[in-house]
Amino acid sequence: DAKTTQPTSMDCAEGRAANLPCNHSTISGNEYVYWYRQIHSQGPQYIIHGLKNNETNEMASLIITEDRKSSTLILPHATLRDTAVYYCIALGDTGNQFYFGTGTSLTVIP
Amino acid sequence: NAGVTQTPKFRVLKTGQSMTLLCAQDMNHEYMYWYRQDPGMGLRLIHYSVGEGTTAKGEVPDGYNVSRLKKQNFLLGLESAAPSQTSVYFCASRTWGGYTFGSGTRLTVV
């Protein structure tokens, strides 16, 4: 699985869009980009995933660049409950190993 | 559908004691993983399994052993607990659609 890099921390004003970037320059053709978040000490929670097309669900949108070397998770209207650590990971279908990295700590400010 | 269940949720051990953490999943997932998370840090992979009867080492395997005798269960053992093993332990199972995490086991070794 390809390694990913993310900024250590970000702030976002409540009600504004939160844009979280992720670099995955070594991603291979069959690897999806997944986003998870972890609130306090809970288990990580799935947000969204995509291969090469932009994706949207009830939680967020995922924008993947055409060369697939980077992506952005967008929380359209951030709330205080979105304060969490966000992990971007590249996931293939072998399941042999999986590294989360340290993620981006997002703080939503009132 | 319970997803991934970890037992126990909390445990305090004395140095040198042994214990087993149980992870059970009811989603028929092939892949299962054990992670540890220390305060302020990301998830680090301890051991993983790509199927019943198989296990493999992750990033930080020393001091731990695992077994996957049944597809739905993945056990993590500490033979002789050390204070450095104080952490929150997360189990996860995985399918092509991504990870599902348990709620964690908070272990303190004194």
Side-chain angles (χ1 to χ4, degrees), chain A residues 21-55:
Chain A
C22 179
N23 288 321
H24 31 79
S25 58
T26 62
I27 195 169
S28 61
N30 68 340
E31 288 181 326
Y32 283 69
V33 178
Y34 279 78
W35 283 84
Y36 287 79
R37 73 179 182 184
Q38 187 176 25
I39 298 174
H40 299 303
S41 296
Q42 300 175 20
Q45 172 192 22
Y46 167 82
I47 301 173
I48 198 168
H49 74 283
L51 184 62
K52 54 183 178 181
N53 297 320
N54 297 339
E55 301 288 345

Side-chain angles (χ1 to χ4, degrees), chain A residues 34 36 38 91-92 96 98, chain B residues 33 35 37 48 94 96 99:
Chain A
Y34 279 78
Y36 287 79
Q38 187 176 25
L91 179 58
N96 283 344
F98 198 109
Chain B
Y33 307 81
Y35 290 89
Q37 186 172 38
Y48 66 98
R94 196 200 124 177
W96 175 240
Y99 273 73

Side-chain angles (χ1 to χ4, degrees), chain A residues 41-44, chain B residues 2-10 20-25 32-36 43 74 76 87-93 100-107:
Chain A
S41 296
Q42 300 175 20
Chain B
V4 176
T5 302
Q6 291 184 232
T7 54
K9 295 189 183 305
F10 301 93
T20 300
L21 282 67
L22 172 63
C23 177
Q25 54 101 357
M32 297 188 74
Y33 307 81
W34 275 106
Y35 290 89
R36 62 175 288 173
L43 297 161
F74 194 29
L76 178 71
S87 189
V88 180
Y89 292 85
F90 289 102
C91 174
S93 70
T100 301
F101 280 85
S103 58
T105 296
R106 186 174 297 276
L107 175 66

Side-chain angles (χ1 to χ4, degrees), chain A residues 56-75:
Chain A
T56 296
N57 63 19
E58 65 278 5
M59 292 180 67
S61 294
L62 174 60
I63 308 298
I64 303 174
T65 58
E66 190 169 345
D67 62 9
R68 299 207 333 117
K69 293 185 177 181
S70 66
S71 61
T72 301
L73 177 75
I74 301 173
L75 307 178

Side-chain angles (χ1 to χ4, degrees), chain B residues 18-75:
Chain B
S18 64
M19 78 163 294
T20 300
L21 282 67
L22 172 63
C23 177
Q25 54 101 357
D26 61 2
M27 298 169 286
N28 203 36
H29 289 174
E30 289 292 338
Y31 309 146
M32 297 188 74
Y33 307 81
W34 275 106
Y35 290 89
R36 62 175 288 173
Q37 186 172 38
D38 300 321
M41 302 202 43
L43 297 161
R44 292 188 292 170
L45 183 65
I46 305 172
H47 285 281
Y48 66 98
S49 168
V50 298
E52 180 179 322
T54 72
T55 63
K57 295 180 180 180
E59 183 184 5
V60 289
D62 293 343
Y64 304 95
N65 57 77
V66 288
S67 64
R68 183 99 182 268
L69 298 180
K70 294 182 178 181
K71 187 177 183 178
Q72 64 268 33
N73 295 334
F74 194 29
L75 278 62

